Amino acid sequence: QMVHHDLWDYDTAASPLLTSLTLNGKRRDVLIAGNKTAMLYVLDPATGKPVLPIEERPVPQSTVPGEVTSPTQPFPVTLPTLARQSLAPAEAWGQTEADRKACQADLESMSGTSMFTPPSLQGSLAVPSNFGGINWSGLAWDAQHQRAIVAVSNIPVKLQLIPADQFAKGERGNFRAQVTAQKGGPYAIARAPLRGPSGDPCGPPPWGELVAVDLAAGKIAW
């Protein structure tokens, strides 16, 4: 499991990549898997066990009544993250001062602005977003240099829960958002890219990157 109790649509959209990798002078088969969280996991294809270490780290917990979130999530220990995983209000971006201030105010109003902050009634940030991080474009392999070549997206999304009774009465939140009823649940959810009044993303560019990761060295090559 690359994400426990997924509340952010962090499904694994990218196909895994099977290749061989030289570690500590020994060549071995590995499975490289990427996720919308913008993290890579290197596994033994025969057993599924980590080839490069993974550890469980504490993550933010839900404040929504009745919701029980996973206390930890799995993080690769030796590999860097490939996209932004937090956006503090002070980091709000805009081409104009009006955009920057509007983005900053929106971020300040949220219950959390880092990855794995659970959706809330107040509003929270999914960073990377459900269409961000490592998505359908997947991975390529540079065998000569032993590098994974990965396309990532850096556009954050705002999530907001809407009580089901309010949703039934017509409350849909931000008209630019994707709003979805969750059948049988007490809440609907609205999600939309976090943008300023001009429509530009609130996170600083680049909003998409092509990244080469040296897996043995545990660093971004370019």
Side-chain angles (χ1 to χ4, degrees):
Q1 252 187 5
M2 285 180 269
V3 178
H4 307 317
H5 189 48
D6 181 13
L7 300 174
W8 308 270
D9 195 13
Y10 282 162
D11 57 297
T12 302
S15 299
L17 186 149
L18 181 65
T19 187
S20 57
L21 178 65
T22 301
L23 293 169
N24 301 318
K26 296 182 179 180
R27 196 163 188 83
R28 61 179 299 174
D29 291 338
V30 294
L31 186 77
I32 306 170
N35 188 262
K36 292 179 182 180
T37 56
M39 296 189 288
L40 291 175
Y41 301 87
V42 181
L43 310 172
D44 184 313
T47 66
K49 293 182 178 179
V51 171
L52 296 179
I54 299 168
E55 67 180 11
E56 295 285 335
R57 297 177 186 170
V59 291
Q61 296 299 289
S62 178
T63 57
V64 176
E67 180 63 89
V68 179
T69 39
S70 176
T72 63
Q73 294 288 349
F75 287 78
V77 176
T78 62
L79 297 178
T81 179
L82 308 188
R84 176 181 288 276
Q85 293 181 327
S86 65
L87 182 63
E91 299 174 297
W93 182 87
Q95 292 195 69
T96 66
E97 187 66 9
D99 262 19
R100 191 191 66 78
K101 286 185 175 179
C103 288
Q104 184 175 12
D106 211 352
L107 288 165
E108 287 173 342
S109 72
M110 296 183 189
S111 58
T113 61
S114 61
M115 188 174 70
F116 293 129
T117 297
S120 67
L121 292 162
Q122 184 178 341
S124 64
L125 197 68
V127 53
S129 70
N130 57 297
F131 57 82
I134 303 166
N135 213 309
W136 297 282
S137 51
L139 321 171
W141 180 247
D142 176 354
Q144 181 180 353
H145 300 98
Q146 293 204 112
R147 294 171 180 170
I149 313 299
V150 189
V152 296
S153 173
N154 284 306
I155 299 176
V157 158
K158 181 178 180 179
L159 305 175
Q160 190 151 17
L161 296 177
I162 303 169
D165 58 344
Q166 294 182 27
F167 182 83
K169 294 175 183 177
E171 172 58 51
R172 297 294 187 268
N174 183 339
F175 76 93
R176 296 190 297 185
Q178 174 192 20
V179 185
T180 307
Q182 300 182 97
K183 188 174 181 180
Y187 302 101
I189 190 165
R191 62 184 182 187
L194 185 67
R195 300 183 290 175
S198 71
D200 286 341
C202 288
W207 298 313
E209 294 181 277
L210 195 63
V211 183
V213 187
D214 185 327
L215 297 179
K219 65 180 182 181
I220 294 175
W222 50 261

